[in-house]
Amino acid sequence: MSNWIDLTDTSQIDEIKASEGYSLIFKHSTRCSISLMAKRSFERDWNVIPAEVNCYFLDLINHRDVSAYIAETFQVHHESPQLLLIKNGECVLDASHSDISADEVAEVIANN
């Protein structure tokens, strides 16, 4: 099963930006049923994500400042739910709502 790393501070975003390899950020609204469905679907296929990928979970309701910082840092439009795949500090995949797919993340990693 999934091992999310909770995102609670903007300094963690700076660390992700500076790190080598892949990191994944899942932005989730605890008040949105679509977000919950996207999260469950992603977690159901969790095993296709390579083990070395750090997977971060952001509760948008409690950490709006972190969400805004993510959008600014990686130059992406804020959406919820949203999944960002970061490689060597750059966003290489940005998906939202029903486009969020663990299989797509695995495919992008395999082809990069």
Side-chain angles (χ1 to χ4, degrees):
M1 186 53 200
S2 57
N3 291 312
W4 293 112
I5 301 165
D6 287 331
L7 279 176
T8 57
D9 191 89
T10 56
S11 66
Q12 291 173 281
I13 305 307
D14 295 333
E15 291 170 12
I16 293 169
K17 177 83 173 161
S19 68
E20 291 187 15
Y22 288 97
S23 298
L24 182 142
I25 299 172
F26 189 95
K27 295 168 58 178
H28 174 67
S29 171
T30 55
R31 297 181 188 158
C32 175
S33 61
I34 293 171
S35 192
L36 180 61
M37 288 188 335
K39 180 178 176 278
R40 284 183 178 161
S41 175
F42 183 84
E43 288 178 336
R44 193 171 36 250
D45 297 327
W46 182 276
N47 61 333
V48 301
I49 306 295
E52 66 274 6
V53 176
N54 288 322
C55 297
Y56 297 89
F57 179 84
L58 176 65
D59 176 342
L60 292 169
I61 305 303
N62 289 320
H63 300 288
R64 291 185 186 278
D65 60 326
V66 178
S67 178
Y69 193 65
I70 289 169
E72 177 186 321
T73 300
F74 296 110
Q75 299 294 298
V76 295
H77 180 74
H78 165 75
E79 297 194 56
S80 169
Q82 185 175 33
L83 180 139
L84 304 177
L85 181 62
I86 311 301
K87 179 184 181 186
N88 299 331
E90 299 296 324
C91 183
V92 295
L93 176 64
D94 172 13
S96 66
H97 297 85
S98 61
D99 291 335
I100 293 173
S101 162
D103 287 331
E104 183 179 15
V105 170
E107 186 177 315
V108 169
I109 292 171
N111 294 322
N112 271 318

